[in-house]
Amino acid sequence: MFPRSRREFVPFVRSHWRSLLLLLLGVMVPFVLFTHLTHEVFREGGFAWDQAVLNWYAQRRTPELTRFAELLAVLGGVTILPFVTLAIAWLLGRAQGKAHGWFLLTAVAGATLLNVVAKVVFQRPRPDELMAVLTEPGFSFPSGHAMANAAFGFALTLAFWRSRAGWPVAVFGVLWALAIGISRNYLGVHYPSDVLAGFTASVTWVAGLYILMARRWPQLRKSPGGEHDTLPQTT
């Protein structure tokens, strides 16, 4: 029985190695990291470096950096990001990327909903308000800004990955998510572990969503610009 299974297994791995790699790196590894962060925060009392990192940022605040971090908080918040997401999804639909547009919308909306549920479940208090630049309501774990904007950046990357704009979009997505996450720590409204948990949870959610939606809509694995903009797969 094993030789027959092996003959079936090896061709399966060869033909689906990209999906298996995405499942491992995009879903399993981030999920394990999120689980570890959650365990350390709520079973072991958190990380010693959480407060140390916040102190490091607090000692290096300047008026210019503070204004920039506050601007990022607005751009990546609920007053701007949803409309930017809707606009990009609409533009994708106007091209040849309706599946890409729905994927982007579902990724960001789902990450936001998961964040609300996680905060209600974990109810971690925010850092000391005396050290924070802003006073924000709600709980701290995981960071909503980090989670929503990581989902936004990662979903954009996957949507455009097979296009000629794949690498520029990927670089933008990573830098945007990092900038938002760092700004949350700089402003003192989230612990670093809140931001890391938001990142890992979003990567897990978006990668899993992509795998599921791509099975239903294979065009999601192509460029939203159509066949003429789709780069050939490398083997």
Side-chain angles (χ1 to χ4, degrees):
M1 183 175 181
F2 175 75
R4 179 181 176 182
S5 300
R6 184 176 60 184
R7 288 196 299 269
E8 296 173 351
F9 178 74
V10 173
F12 173 81
V13 171
R14 287 177 177 174
S15 60
H16 296 87
W17 68 269
R18 292 182 181 83
S19 296
L20 293 172
L21 185 63
L22 181 60
L23 179 65
L24 175 64
L25 298 181
V27 178
M28 297 306 299
V29 172
F31 178 74
V32 170
L33 291 175
F34 177 78
T35 303
H36 173 68
L37 286 167
T38 304
H39 178 270
E40 289 295 326
V41 169
F42 296 99
R43 297 295 184 184
E44 305 297 332
F47 297 93
W49 45 263
D50 259 336
Q51 190 60 50
V53 171
L54 293 184
N55 294 339
W56 186 89
Y57 279 116
Q59 294 167 3
R60 287 159 177 79
R61 287 174 184 154
T62 66
E64 294 77 17
L65 286 176
T66 299
R67 283 195 293 270
F68 181 63
E70 290 174 336
L71 174 63
L72 288 176
V74 174
L75 294 176
V78 295
T79 58
I80 301 294
L81 182 64
F83 298 101
V84 173
T85 303
L86 282 169
I88 295 176
W90 181 79
L91 291 172
L92 289 171
R94 291 279 293 179
Q96 301 181 49
K98 287 185 179 180
H100 303 76
W102 281 113
F103 167 65
L104 177 63
L105 283 175
T106 307
V108 177
T112 302
L113 179 60
L114 288 173
N115 179 261
V116 172
V117 173
K119 284 187 174 181
V120 171
V121 171
F122 297 120
Q123 298 188 10
R124 186 187 195 185
R126 290 185 182 270
D128 186 358
E129 292 183 358
L130 295 177
M131 293 189 61
V133 175
L134 303 175
T135 300
E136 294 194 353
F139 298 108
S140 189
F141 184 93
S143 167
H145 272 73
M147 197 163 172
N149 286 276
F152 174 76
F154 190 32
L156 275 182
T157 297
L158 292 177
F160 283 91
W161 186 244
R162 292 291 307 282
S163 74
R164 292 180 175 86
W167 275 108
V169 171
V171 171
F172 165 78
V174 170
L175 293 180
W176 178 254
L178 288 176
I180 293 293
I182 290 171
S183 72
R184 306 310 286 166
N185 295 152
Y186 174 91
L187 293 171
V189 293
H190 281 290
Y191 293 105
S193 54
D194 298 334
V195 171
L196 290 175
F199 285 166
T200 55
S202 273
V203 170
T204 301
W205 158 248
V206 175
L209 179 68
Y210 180 81
I211 292 173
L212 290 176
M213 290 189 67
R215 291 178 64 87
R216 174 60 179 84
W217 294 283
Q219 62 268 32
L220 191 57
R221 298 186 183 277
K222 301 178 181 180
S223 168
E227 287 287 351
H228 70 281
D229 189 51
T230 300
L231 300 178
Q233 291 187 0
T234 56
T235 58

